[in-house]
Amino acid sequence: MKEIRNIAIIAHVDHGKTTLVDRILHQANLFRENQEVQELFLDNNDLERERGITILSKNVSVHYKDTKINIIDTPGHSDFGGEVERVLNMADGVLLIVDAFEGPMPQTRFVLQKAIELGLKPIVVVNKVDKPNCTPDIAQEKVLDLMFSLDATEEQLDFPTVFGSSKAGWMSDHWTNETTDVTYLLDSILEHIPAATHKEGTLQMRITSLDYSSYTGRIAVGRVTRGELIPGSRVSLVKRDGTIVKSVAKECYLFEGLGKEKTKDPVPSGEICAVLGLEGFDIGDTIADIEEPEGLTPINVDEPTMSML
Ligand code: GDP
């Protein structure tokens, strides 16, 4: 089975998240492959439109060296605390993007703190090293100070740092070492972020966020944490109060490039999935086995979220 890396992106607004994700996608050459899926949005190659989608679609993925990398967007603001915690729960590591000129900003502290508490392994990207008078070394040091103050573990403090310019399209091990692409960052993800583990057993998938399609209605998004989810199969929905509702996971979609692709194959644990056709679900519910439903521990759901529709 193909290896998976689930990585969440944390970035202060304007530090370059969208530009970097665009670069990663372009490098993986995914725009062309995904034209059909994205026909509604990508009806032309206008960069601004592509950038808009990167924000809208929230999760994107690329295939690199036989590994699928799911890139999970996080709301950059503590107003979405509940959502931050839930989406971070889908990840095995985080990419912290920091502007080489401004350094880490207080607004990302909350999100980083949650990531540290969840034991996620960080990779720091010091971006915009092309900016005149920027100080990448000071930005890196400030990140280290910040992680110290958040009680990061030894392992987390030992984070790798990648330097580069998303705008110019390169990432490398040092800001003076300009390269031709973002391969160095992709390799760092494979090297430092743990592979998503496959866990045998009966199905468990926590519904982490909602998506919405004007054609099909509400879509449940989450990570399969145990067993596998078979498209079209009958499942139990274990509600937060422990009650159980039977339903059908009519269609399953995986994140591919900027869009979602329908799959007929069982979705393995470790993968992030969007489920269509489930009835009566809420954020925080567990999609579980039809015969032996077992709920996951409840998570923070009571704050307002942008994706709650
Ligand atoms: P986001 O809000 O984190 O998604 O940031 P964007 O990717 O939209 O970038 C914000 C601004 O910073 C845009 O004007 C980008 O062109 C610019 N930007 C992004 N990356 C770089 C970079 O590496 N160098 C420079 N000089 N500007 C950048």
Side-chain angles (χ1 to χ4, degrees), residues 141-203:
E141 234 176 86
K142 283 191 177 157
V143 173
L144 188 62
D145 290 347
L146 178 59
M147 298 241 195
F148 258 119
S149 74
L150 295 174
D151 288 331
T153 63
E154 289 282 309
E155 206 199 348
Q156 288 170 324
L157 288 172
D158 198 22
F159 60 85
T161 307
V162 175
F163 297 90
S165 166
S166 300
K167 196 171 171 182
W170 62 271
M171 289 286 144
S172 87
D173 59 345
H174 196 269
W175 61 92
T176 57
N177 190 12
E178 190 170 332
T179 55
T180 52
D181 55 33
V182 297
T183 303
Y184 184 79
L185 173 61
L186 295 173
D187 283 327
S188 300
I189 292 174
L190 297 200
E191 189 182 336
H192 297 286
I193 304 301
T197 47
H198 300 295
K199 211 166 149 200
E200 300 286 321
T202 51
L203 167 67

Side-chain angles (χ1 to χ4, degrees), residues 13-19 51 127-128 130 165-167:
V13 62
D14 271 356
H15 280 198
K17 176 171 68 180
T18 315
T19 312
R51 301 177 91 239
N127 188 35
K128 305 198 187 187
D130 60 290
S165 166
S166 300
K167 196 171 171 182

Side-chain angles (χ1 to χ4, degrees), residues 82-100:
E83 183 167 8
V84 166
E85 224 171 310
R86 289 196 308 274
V87 297
L88 288 176
N89 257 297
M90 294 199 290
D92 294 307
V94 289
L95 215 53
L96 174 67
I97 303 173
V98 175
D99 183 310

Side-chain angles (χ1 to χ4, degrees), residues 74-268:
T74 58
H77 205 274
S78 54
D79 281 358
F80 303 106
E83 183 167 8
V84 166
E85 224 171 310
R86 289 196 308 274
V87 297
L88 288 176
N89 257 297
M90 294 199 290
D92 294 307
V94 289
L95 215 53
L96 174 67
I97 303 173
V98 175
D99 183 310
F101 189 80
E102 292 188 340
M105 300 297 275
Q107 288 90 333
T108 50
R109 186 188 165 96
F110 173 84
V111 187
L112 186 61
Q113 181 181 2
K114 288 287 167 200
I116 295 294
E117 281 170 16
L118 287 168
L120 301 179
K121 189 95 204 277
I123 293 179
V124 174
V125 175
V126 176
N127 188 35
K128 305 198 187 187
V129 301
D130 60 290
K131 267 181 153 180
N133 304 321
C134 69
T135 48
D137 46 347
I138 294 176
Q140 183 189 23
E141 234 176 86
K142 283 191 177 157
V143 173
L144 188 62
D145 290 347
L146 178 59
M147 298 241 195
F148 258 119
S149 74
L150 295 174
D151 288 331
T153 63
E154 289 282 309
E155 206 199 348
Q156 288 170 324
L157 288 172
D158 198 22
F159 60 85
T161 307
V162 175
F163 297 90
S165 166
S166 300
K167 196 171 171 182
W170 62 271
M171 289 286 144
S172 87
D173 59 345
H174 196 269
W175 61 92
T176 57
N177 190 12
E178 190 170 332
T179 55
T180 52
D181 55 33
V182 297
T183 303
Y184 184 79
L185 173 61
L186 295 173
D187 283 327
S188 300
I189 292 174
L190 297 200
E191 189 182 336
H192 297 286
I193 304 301
T197 47
H198 300 295
K199 211 166 149 200
E200 300 286 321
T202 51
L203 167 67
Q204 279 184 322
M205 169 180 157
R206 177 186 280 129
I207 301 177
T208 299
S209 53
L210 305 185
D211 210 337
Y212 187 81
S213 145
S214 48
Y215 298 119
T216 50
R218 290 158 87 236
I219 301 167
V221 179
R223 173 173 172 165
V224 178
T225 50
R226 197 178 71 186
E228 55 184 22
L229 176 59
I230 299 169
S233 64
R234 297 185 67 222
V235 293
S236 302
L237 268 180
V238 184
K239 315 292 291 180
R240 274 165 287 149
D241 64 4
T243 54
I244 291 164
V245 180
K246 307 281 182 197
S247 191
V248 178
K250 278 189 196 131
E251 293 178 5
C252 298
Y253 287 74
L254 301 180
F255 292 91
E256 293 294 342
L258 276 172
K260 298 189 193 80
E261 258 173 34
K262 191 170 167 175
T263 178
K264 291 207 175 347
D265 300 327
V267 180

Side-chain angles (χ1 to χ4, degrees), residues 39 215 274 288 306:
E39 60 192 1
Y215 298 119
M306 287 222 273

